[in-house]
Amino acid sequence: MGVLRLTMAQALLKFLDQQYVERDGKETKFVKGVMGIFGHGNVLGIGEALEREPGNLQFIQGKNEQGMTHAAVAYAKQKNRLEIFACTSSIGPGALNMVTAAATATVNRIPVLLLPGDIFACRQPDPVLQQIEHPMDYTISANDAFKPVSKYWDRITRPEQLMSSMMQAMRVLTDPAETGAVTICLPQDVQTEAYDYPEHFFAKRVHSIDRMPLSKSACDRAVQLLARKKTPLLIAGGGVHYSLAYEPVLQFAEAFGIPIAETQAGKSAVPWHHPLYMGGIGTTGSLAANQLAKEADAIICVGTRLGDFATASKSAFLHPEVEFIHININNFDAGKMNGVKLVADAAEALKELTDVLLARGYKSSYDAAELVAKKAEWNREVDRLYAVELEQGLSQTYVLGEINRFMDGHEVIVAAAGSLPGDLHRLWRAERPKSYHMEYGFSCMGYEVAGAFGVKLAEPDQEVYALIGDGSYLMLHSELVTSIQEGVKLNVILLDNHGFQCIHNLQKDHGSDGFGNEFRYRSREMGGLTGDYIAIDYAAHARSMGATAYTVTNIEQLREALHQAKQEKSSTLIAVQVLPGTNSGGYESWWRVDVPEVSTSDQVQRAYQRMHEKTNRALNI
């Protein structure tokens, strides 16, 4: 058996370059490349290896470690978890900047490989720059912070450990049920140490992603439950996308007359104009979907982790005999809400259920005319919100309507936080799968621009739009520069409403007068942040980084800016002035945010009572 004498970092890259995945007979190169920012912890280890021996791995220079990792997460999400980028950083603050993005990946079940530099394994220069010295455990470094947010974590203290560690890393990264952030900590001295690696370690490896079939016993349990149900509702989650279960979902729903609602991750799995599509579910859901959820005697959950927004903090389901069926590849997710567990691939499970239920002659008891009426009522409400014109300025829903109408269905929109996810989940009319890219498992502010960059890397032939509020933009916009550097065009549509208005609205809805969430100058007379709004020229800021930018204050300017931005060859930003508080509200839904039990404010006391009453009515399972 031959050997290759390589540094640990060189061996790592050579190994990653030979990893492939296979699903449904199609083989895909798994690791596209490495995104990185160099410092003393990785520049002469993995950095030198990337410089001299990158193989077929593409290197992309990040501008912020969190931003570049969010881009990698978005890339993997858009590629349905079949391709990834690795991310490398220095030790200390560079590594810790990736922790937030690691959590974003793990919460959303998205594979990302993190390769942070680490302190010296030999300890000769201790304490090295950026080292955290824990007096009770000298093995702890900043990278231990990744443990709670990683699905697999390891530290390579000897170069030969790389071989077993990377096999475990690939096990997790390619497992559709257990994937998420994988963190392999690389002490900077070990990165540069050489070892005689066996040649077989670098052989091409194809990791098969098999579709887990539905067991007969699980199928029987689900069929027995559904056989006694009259008004089931199907909730399509992100697993519908990852399983490519678009046709099975529609075939199942059409066969039995079952209406469909979608989570944020599942949105765009079903075209908005399909007769059985009722819109988003839960706190940010539509009137039609939430009314049906209250009346449903069975909830068929397909590929969803059932977060509190999807379930309206478990208050969405009011039928006294409601029961849940979970179709999920992940056993943990399938066990939620005390439901019948169908641990299987979504497409495979739906096909099997369809065949068995058809053979039994099952049909829901919905009045087809009633479903048509509910859908039509909701469509009218969306049309109304998309047409809200105000004398004082642009409403947020009016702006979104104009953007939605401008697009021809071949674009991808990216969003994550603030009031936009609510409006987009309720109102956005998606026609094509994967045209709606929402990070709402972690709802991470700052994901949007970096995420759009990652999506554009995954979808180079499509126009990609980041829809972002001014609060998120101020938090993290640095990968806009990376997009310009790489010649990867993205479009940022920035809705400027002068602050964190989503949380400002949340405060006011729960008894507060509003505190600390608007971007106002400090008032010398009144005290506090109660002065005028801060004037920020976001278009000028974007131009300073090399983007083409536009400022919009009326609908005609918006139409012109959208048209011009689409013609541009490089990244653009459209800064749109919108009136605060002009987003859409809830539709027969709730979200539990606990209110102080004791307060000097009568408003807060009344809000507490409302919260307490709602909590008592919600399911506690």
Side-chain angles (χ1 to χ4, degrees):
M1 179 178 66
V3 297
L4 292 175
R5 188 161 183 78
L6 299 168
T7 69
M8 185 269 279
Q10 292 163 356
L12 171 61
L13 296 184
K14 195 172 185 66
F15 173 87
L16 292 177
D17 201 23
Q18 291 298 312
Q19 304 308 302
Y20 291 76
V21 294
E22 175 272 324
R23 187 176 70 173
D24 298 337
K26 182 179 179 182
E27 189 175 287
T28 305
K29 191 175 190 299
F30 187 56
V31 185
K32 174 73 172 180
V34 179
M35 298 186 185
I37 297 176
F38 296 125
H40 70 93
N42 65 341
V43 67
L44 297 179
I46 196 170
E48 193 274 344
L50 282 164
E51 177 185 7
R52 306 293 182 188
E53 300 181 54
N56 293 310
L57 298 174
Q58 178 185 3
F59 173 71
I60 293 178
Q61 178 196 81
K63 305 301 174 291
N64 174 284
E65 291 88 355
Q66 182 185 149
M68 73 183 186
T69 309
H70 276 150
V73 172
Y75 180 88
K77 177 180 171 74
Q78 196 67 19
K79 287 290 188 178
N80 283 328
R81 308 190 294 203
L82 299 176
E83 296 181 37
I84 69 168
F85 271 89
C87 295
T88 181
S89 75
S90 183
I91 73 173
L96 288 175
N97 280 347
M98 296 196 293
V99 172
T100 299
T104 303
T106 294
V107 167
N108 286 283
R109 302 355 187 213
I110 305 296
V112 65
L113 175 60
L114 305 179
L115 305 171
D118 211 330
I119 58 178
F120 281 80
C122 71
R123 302 188 183 178
Q124 180 275 322
D126 290 352
V128 70
L129 179 67
Q130 300 178 334
Q131 180 172 344
I132 295 173
E133 292 184 281
H134 196 293
M136 296 298 293
D137 186 347
Y138 213 72
T139 66
I140 289 177
S141 77
N143 289 334
D144 286 79
F146 284 95
K147 288 180 178 178
V149 295
S150 297
K151 296 304 290 268
Y152 179 75
W153 184 97
D154 201 354
R155 176 179 282 124
I156 309 300
T157 58
R158 294 174 58 91
E160 62 267 36
Q161 291 174 350
L162 180 72
M163 292 182 286
S164 61
S165 182
M166 290 313 299
M167 297 309 297
Q168 294 301 320
M170 293 305 299
R171 171 184 62 82
V172 175
L173 289 167
T174 61
D175 184 341
E178 295 297 335
T179 194
V182 168
T183 303
I184 309 296
C185 311
L186 307 177
Q188 60 175 298
D189 52 343
V190 181
Q191 288 181 51
T192 63
E193 291 178 13
Y195 183 76
D196 292 331
Y197 290 94
E199 288 184 333
H200 67 75
F201 179 59
F202 307 111
K204 178 180 176 180
R205 281 185 172 84
V206 181
H207 305 266
S208 294
I209 301 177
D210 298 323
R211 292 185 179 272
M212 184 183 296
L214 179 63
S215 71
K216 184 180 184 304
S217 59
C219 182
D220 289 344
R221 289 193 297 272
V223 168
Q224 289 170 14
L225 187 155
L226 282 173
R228 61 178 186 269
K229 299 298 181 180
K230 297 180 178 180
T231 54
L233 174 68
L234 188 150
I235 299 177
V240 175
H241 288 292
Y242 303 136
S243 177
L244 301 178
Y246 308 121
E247 289 188 13
V249 162
L250 289 179
Q251 289 168 354
F252 180 86
E254 291 167 355
F256 311 115
I258 298 175
I260 304 169
E262 286 179 330
T263 68
Q264 287 277 20
K267 192 173 173 72
S268 79
V270 177
W272 75 272
H273 47 68
H274 190 280
L276 290 172
Y277 174 72
M278 297 294 156
I281 187 72
T283 304
T284 54
S286 75
L287 179 62
N290 285 338
Q291 287 179 340
L292 289 167
K294 291 178 180 180
E295 302 161 2
D297 57 8
I299 308 296
I300 305 165
C301 308
V302 184
T304 172
R305 57 192 286 267
L306 279 191
D308 62 342
F309 261 71
T311 69
S313 296
K314 299 182 181 178
S315 71
F317 316 109
L318 300 181
H319 193 287
E321 298 178 4
V322 65
E323 294 181 82
F324 295 81
I325 294 174
H326 289 277
I327 300 173
N328 206 298
I329 198 72
N330 185 298
N331 186 62
F332 177 76
D333 286 337
K336 293 174 179 175
M337 301 290 283
N338 197 30
V340 172
K341 295 202 296 186
L342 278 62
V343 181
D345 174 80
E348 294 294 309
L350 287 167
K351 290 174 185 175
E352 182 68 19
L353 279 176
T354 301
D355 289 344
V356 175
L357 288 168
L358 281 173
R360 291 183 60 129
Y362 175 75
K363 197 79 173 177
S364 75
S365 299
Y366 283 106
D367 182 337
E370 181 183 353
L371 292 180
V372 169
K374 284 186 181 295
K375 183 174 179 63
E377 180 185 8
W378 178 246
N379 284 341
R380 288 192 295 271
E381 175 66 357
V382 175
D383 289 338
R384 183 188 70 81
L385 290 168
Y386 271 2
V388 172
E389 296 188 62
L390 302 172
E391 291 184 6
Q392 310 96 303
L394 293 173
S395 72
Q396 181 163 294
T397 60
Y398 189 27
V399 168
L400 292 179
E402 191 63 36
I403 297 169
N404 204 169
R405 286 187 292 269
F406 170 79
M407 296 184 180
D408 60 15
H410 295 285
E411 303 85 353
V412 182
I413 65 164
V414 180
S419 60
L420 280 168
D423 282 347
L424 292 169
H425 193 208
R426 293 185 188 102
L427 311 180
W428 192 261
R429 288 167 166 168
E431 297 184 8
R432 180 180 56 83
K434 307 298 288 188
S435 62
Y436 181 93
H437 182 114
M438 178 68 69
E439 189 290 289
Y440 212 59
F442 214 45
S443 186
C444 187
M445 295 184 74
Y447 175 92
E448 297 91 338
V449 173
F453 174 60
V455 169
K456 184 64 175 182
L457 289 173
E459 306 274 13
D461 297 327
Q462 297 186 36
E463 288 289 319
V464 176
Y465 293 83
L467 273 61
I468 186 171
D470 51 321
S472 280
Y473 180 83
L474 286 174
M475 282 195 179
L476 188 57
H477 49 256
S478 53
E479 302 320 308
L480 182 60
V481 174
T482 309
S483 75
I484 294 167
Q485 178 183 31
E486 291 288 337
V488 174
K489 181 201 175 186
L490 57 92
N491 304 285
V492 179
I493 302 179
L494 187 157
L495 273 59
D496 180 5
N497 60 11
H498 305 292
F500 308 129
Q501 294 293 346
C502 174
I503 303 302
H504 182 71
N505 293 337
L506 187 66
Q507 285 179 311
K508 294 173 72 175
D509 288 345
H510 291 78
S512 170
D513 296 323
F515 174 79
N517 278 305
E518 293 192 297
F519 295 162
R520 294 180 179 274
Y521 293 104
R522 186 169 298 279
S523 171
R524 294 181 180 178
E525 294 79 16
M526 302 294 293
L529 302 176
T530 58
D532 293 336
Y533 287 126
I534 300 172
I536 303 174
D537 190 338
Y538 293 103
H541 180 265
R543 291 189 197 102
S544 75
M545 295 189 291
T548 301
Y550 313 86
T551 299
V552 167
T553 59
N554 59 56
I555 206 67
E556 290 76 19
Q557 290 175 348
L558 176 60
R559 291 168 181 159
E560 180 62 21
L562 288 168
H563 176 76
Q564 291 186 16
K566 192 169 185 177
Q567 310 308 312
E568 290 290 336
K569 302 301 181 185
S570 188
S571 292
T572 69
L573 181 141
I574 302 173
V576 187
Q577 295 285 332
V578 296
L579 294 169
T582 56
N583 50 291
S584 60
Y587 289 86
E588 298 191 15
S589 65
W590 176 63
W591 183 45
R592 180 171 176 174
V593 181
D594 272 27
V595 180
E597 188 172 356
V598 177
S599 174
T600 58
S601 167
D602 291 341
Q603 296 179 134
V604 173
Q605 291 179 352
R606 288 193 294 271
Y608 172 78
Q609 289 299 323
R610 292 194 298 271
M611 183 273 296
H612 188 64
E613 291 166 5
K614 284 279 191 179
T615 302
N616 287 339
R617 290 199 296 268
L619 296 176
N620 190 20
I621 55 176

